[in-house]
Amino acid sequence: MTIDTRKILEEFVDYLMPDLSPHEASMYVFLLRHSRLNNDTPSATVRMGQRRIAQLYGRGPKMSVPSRQHMLRQLESLEERGCIKIGDASRDGTLYTVVLPSEVLLVVEKHSLKSEEESDDFYNDPEKRREVYERDQWICQYCRDRVTPENAALDHFVPQCKGGTHKKENLRTACLLCNSIKSGKSYEQAAVHLLKSIQARRERDVQSESWLFFSRVL
Ligand SMILES: [Zn+2]
């Protein structure tokens, strides 16, 4: 059986270590090294006496050998977090079952939250952006102008800086102009600026239409 040490370390550093104290982390890596990452006989378990652990696992304050209580605290807390299971004790030491980082419940939960977030992201995935445009029938939700794939923008109704998400419900189809006015503002903050800009655009349209009309008549 080949062990993907790199993968195990990545999972550990990226997802488990942030939830452990430095002492817990080093105790966990120490047990991992002597069980799952044991070159000769990789195994989920390792049996080891406290004296041996104390000799190998590191130094306490002022470079002293760590006290028994200190080690027990780390071991018990690792067990509480589901990183290891403390088994029976015999003359050869205590049996520790070491859970792989990817199988620790804390890590499993983080992964499932992450994939949930990804599936809710309608902003960064081009296919999903299109879904929002289709929902809004390619119409700017502020000025009601038609937009095209070339000039359509997605506006965060609650802006990202105020905790707005990339979820479908928080995204609105917008034209580039409305999007630039609304950007970073709540609707209440942006409303007056949006209205002014929309009015100015309409007036311009009317002027150019009447100019067209007169130019035809003349
Ligand atoms: Zn618009």
Side-chain angles (χ1 to χ4, degrees), residues 30-31 34-35 44-53 68 71-72 75-76 79 84-98:
F30 171 77
L31 291 175
H34 289 280
S35 56
T45 60
V46 56
R47 190 177 284 283
M48 213 182 262
Q50 280 169 9
R51 188 172 303 173
R52 178 122 191 271
I53 297 180
R68 190 169 166 270
M71 285 188 336
L72 281 178
L75 290 164
E76 278 165 10
E79 188 175 40
I84 62 166
K85 288 188 193 86
I86 304 176
D88 67 282
S90 74
R91 269 202 352 207
D92 301 323
T94 303
L95 187 75
Y96 300 100
T97 307
V98 183

Coordinates of all heavy atoms in Angstrom, one line a residue, residues 30-31 34-35 44-53 68 71-72 75-76 79 84-98:
F30 N 3.3 13.7 15.7 CA 4.1 12.6 16.3 C 3.5 11.2 16.2 O 4.1 10.3 15.7 CB 4.4 13.0 17.7 CG 5.2 11.9 18.5 CD1 6.5 11.7 18.3 CD2 4.5 11.1 19.4 CE1 7.2 10.7 19.0 CE2 5.1 10.1 20.0 CZ 6.5 9.9 19.8
L31 N 2.2 11.2 16.6 CA 1.5 9.9 16.6 C 1.2 9.4 15.1 O 1.3 8.2 14.8 CB 0.2 10.0 17.3 CG 0.3 10.2 18.9 CD1 -1.1 10.4 19.5 CD2 1.0 8.9 19.5
H34 N 4.2 7.7 13.7 CA 4.5 6.4 14.2 C 3.4 5.4 13.9 O 3.5 4.3 14.4 CB 4.8 6.5 15.7 CG 6.1 7.1 16.0 ND1 7.3 6.4 15.9 CD2 6.5 8.4 16.3 CE1 8.3 7.3 16.1 NE2 7.8 8.5 16.4
S35 N 2.3 5.8 13.3 CA 1.3 4.9 12.9 C 1.1 4.9 11.4 O 1.7 4.1 10.7 CB 0.0 5.3 13.6 OG -0.4 6.7 13.3
A44 N -3.1 2.0 11.4 CA -3.9 3.1 12.0 C -3.6 3.2 13.5 O -4.0 4.2 14.1 CB -5.4 2.7 11.8
T45 N -2.9 2.3 14.0 CA -2.7 2.3 15.5 C -1.2 2.3 15.8 O -0.3 1.8 15.0 CB -3.3 1.1 16.2 OG1 -2.7 -0.1 15.7 CG2 -4.8 1.1 16.0
V46 N -0.9 2.7 17.0 CA 0.5 2.6 17.5 C 0.4 2.4 19.0 O -0.5 3.0 19.7 CB 1.3 3.9 17.2 CG1 0.7 5.2 17.7 CG2 2.8 3.7 17.8
R47 N 1.2 1.5 19.5 CA 1.2 1.3 21.0 C 2.5 1.9 21.5 O 3.6 1.6 21.1 CB 1.1 -0.2 21.3 CG 0.9 -0.5 22.8 CD 0.7 -1.9 23.1 NE -0.6 -2.5 22.7 CZ -1.7 -2.4 23.4 NH1 -1.7 -1.6 24.5 NH2 -2.8 -2.9 23.0
M48 N 2.4 2.8 22.5 CA 3.6 3.4 23.0 C 3.4 3.9 24.4 O 2.3 4.3 24.8 CB 3.8 4.7 22.1 CG 5.2 5.0 21.9 SD 5.5 6.5 21.0 CE 5.8 5.9 19.4
G49 N 4.5 3.7 25.2 CA 4.4 4.1 26.6 C 4.6 5.6 26.7 O 5.2 6.3 25.8
Q50 N 4.2 6.1 27.8 CA 4.3 7.6 28.0 C 5.7 8.1 28.1 O 6.0 9.2 27.7 CB 3.5 8.0 29.3 CG 2.0 8.1 29.0 CD 1.2 8.2 30.3 OE1 1.8 8.4 31.4 NE2 -0.1 8.1 30.2
R51 N 6.6 7.2 28.7 CA 8.0 7.6 28.8 C 8.6 7.8 27.4 O 9.3 8.8 27.1 CB 8.7 6.6 29.6 CG 10.2 7.0 29.9 CD 10.9 6.1 30.8 NE 10.1 5.9 32.1 CZ 10.5 5.0 33.0 NH1 11.5 4.2 32.8 NH2 9.8 4.9 34.1
R52 N 8.3 6.9 26.5 CA 8.8 7.0 25.1 C 8.3 8.2 24.5 O 9.0 9.0 23.8 CB 8.4 5.7 24.4 CG 8.8 5.6 23.0 CD 9.7 4.4 22.7 NE 10.3 4.6 21.3 CZ 9.7 4.2 20.2 NH1 8.6 3.5 20.3 NH2 10.3 4.4 19.1
I53 N 7.0 8.5 24.6 CA 6.4 9.7 24.0 C 7.1 10.9 24.5 O 7.6 11.8 23.8 CB 4.9 9.8 24.3 CG1 4.2 8.6 23.6 CG2 4.4 11.1 23.7 CD1 2.6 8.6 23.8
R68 N 4.1 14.5 32.6 CA 3.1 13.5 32.2 C 1.7 14.2 32.0 O 1.0 13.9 31.1 CB 3.0 12.5 33.4 CG 2.2 11.3 33.1 CD 2.5 10.3 34.1 NE 1.4 9.3 34.0 CZ 0.3 9.3 34.6 NH1 0.0 10.3 35.5 NH2 -0.7 8.4 34.4
M71 N 1.4 16.0 28.7 CA 1.2 15.0 27.6 C -0.3 14.5 27.6 O -0.9 14.4 26.6 CB 2.1 13.9 27.7 CG 3.5 14.3 27.3 SD 4.6 12.9 27.2 CE 3.9 11.7 28.2
L72 N -0.7 14.1 28.8 CA -2.1 13.6 28.9 C -3.1 14.6 28.4 O -4.1 14.3 27.8 CB -2.4 13.2 30.4 CG -1.8 11.8 30.8 CD1 -2.1 11.5 32.2 CD2 -2.3 10.7 29.9
L75 N -3.2 14.6 24.7 CA -3.8 13.4 24.2 C -5.3 13.4 24.4 O -6.0 13.0 23.5 CB -3.1 12.2 24.9 CG -1.7 11.9 24.5 CD1 -1.0 10.9 25.5 CD2 -1.6 11.3 23.1
E76 N -5.7 13.8 25.6 CA -7.2 13.8 25.9 C -7.9 14.8 25.0 O -9.0 14.5 24.4 CB -7.4 14.1 27.3 CG -7.3 12.9 28.2 CD -7.2 13.2 29.7 OE1 -7.4 14.4 30.0 OE2 -6.8 12.3 30.4
E79 N -8.3 13.5 21.6 CA -9.4 12.5 21.6 C -10.7 13.2 21.5 O -11.6 12.8 20.7 CB -9.3 11.5 22.8 CG -10.3 10.4 22.6 CD -10.2 9.4 23.7 OE1 -10.0 9.8 24.9 OE2 -10.3 8.2 23.4
I84 N -7.7 11.3 17.6 CA -7.2 10.0 18.0 C -8.2 9.3 18.9 O -9.1 10.0 19.4 CB -5.8 10.1 18.7 CG1 -6.1 10.9 20.0 CG2 -4.8 10.8 17.9 CD1 -4.9 10.8 21.0
K85 N -8.0 8.0 19.0 CA -8.8 7.3 20.0 C -7.8 6.6 21.0 O -6.8 6.0 20.5 CB -9.6 6.2 19.4 CG -10.8 6.7 18.6 CD -11.7 5.6 18.1 CE -12.7 6.2 17.1 NZ -12.1 6.1 15.7
I86 N -8.0 6.8 22.3 CA -7.1 6.2 23.2 C -7.6 4.9 23.6 O -8.8 4.8 24.1 CB -6.9 7.1 24.5 CG1 -6.4 8.5 24.0 CG2 -5.9 6.5 25.5 CD1 -6.3 9.6 25.1
G87 N -6.9 3.8 23.4 CA -7.3 2.5 23.7 C -6.8 1.9 25.0 O -6.5 2.7 25.9
D88 N -6.7 0.6 25.0 CA -6.3 -0.1 26.3 C -4.8 0.2 26.6 O -4.0 0.5 25.7 CB -6.5 -1.6 26.2 CG -5.6 -2.2 25.1 OD1 -5.9 -2.0 23.9 OD2 -4.6 -2.8 25.5
A89 N -4.5 0.0 27.9 CA -3.1 0.2 28.3 C -2.5 -1.2 28.7 O -3.2 -1.9 29.4 CB -3.0 1.2 29.4
S90 N -1.3 -1.5 28.2 CA -0.7 -2.7 28.7 C 0.7 -2.4 29.1 O 1.1 -1.2 29.1 CB -0.7 -3.7 27.5 OG 0.3 -3.3 26.6
R91 N 1.5 -3.4 29.4 CA 2.9 -3.2 29.8 C 3.7 -2.5 28.7 O 4.7 -1.8 29.0 CB 3.6 -4.5 30.1 CG 3.4 -4.9 31.6 CD 4.4 -5.9 32.1 NE 5.2 -6.4 31.0 CZ 5.8 -7.6 31.1 NH1 5.7 -8.3 32.1 NH2 6.6 -8.1 30.1
D92 N 3.3 -2.7 27.4 CA 4.1 -2.1 26.3 C 3.6 -0.7 26.0 O 4.1 -0.1 25.1 CB 3.9 -2.9 25.1 CG 4.5 -4.3 25.3 OD1 5.4 -4.5 26.1 OD2 3.8 -5.3 24.8
G93 N 2.6 -0.2 26.8 CA 2.2 1.1 26.5 C 0.7 1.2 26.2 O 0.0 0.2 26.3
T94 N 0.2 2.4 25.8 CA -1.2 2.6 25.5 C -1.4 2.5 24.0 O -0.5 2.9 23.2 CB -1.6 4.0 26.0 OG1 -1.4 4.0 27.4 CG2 -3.1 4.2 25.8
L95 N -2.5 1.9 23.6 CA -2.8 1.8 22.2 C -3.5 3.1 21.7 O -4.6 3.5 22.2 CB -3.7 0.6 21.9 CG -4.0 0.3 20.4 CD1 -2.7 -0.3 19.8 CD2 -5.2 -0.6 20.2
Y96 N -2.9 3.8 20.7 CA -3.6 5.0 20.1 C -4.0 4.7 18.7 O -3.2 4.2 17.9 CB -2.6 6.1 20.1 CG -2.1 6.5 21.5 CD1 -0.8 6.0 22.0 CD2 -2.9 7.3 22.4 CE1 -0.4 6.3 23.3 CE2 -2.5 7.6 23.6 CZ -1.2 7.1 24.1 OH -0.8 7.4 25.4
T97 N -5.2 5.0 18.4 CA -5.7 4.9 17.0 C -5.7 6.3 16.4 O -6.2 7.2 17.0 CB -7.1 4.3 16.9 OG1 -7.1 3.1 17.6 CG2 -7.5 4.1 15.4
V98 N -5.0 6.5 15.3 CA -4.8 7.8 14.8 C -5.7 8.0 13.6 O -5.6 7.2 12.6 CB -3.3 8.1 14.4 CG1 -3.2 9.5 13.9 CG2 -2.4 7.8 15.6

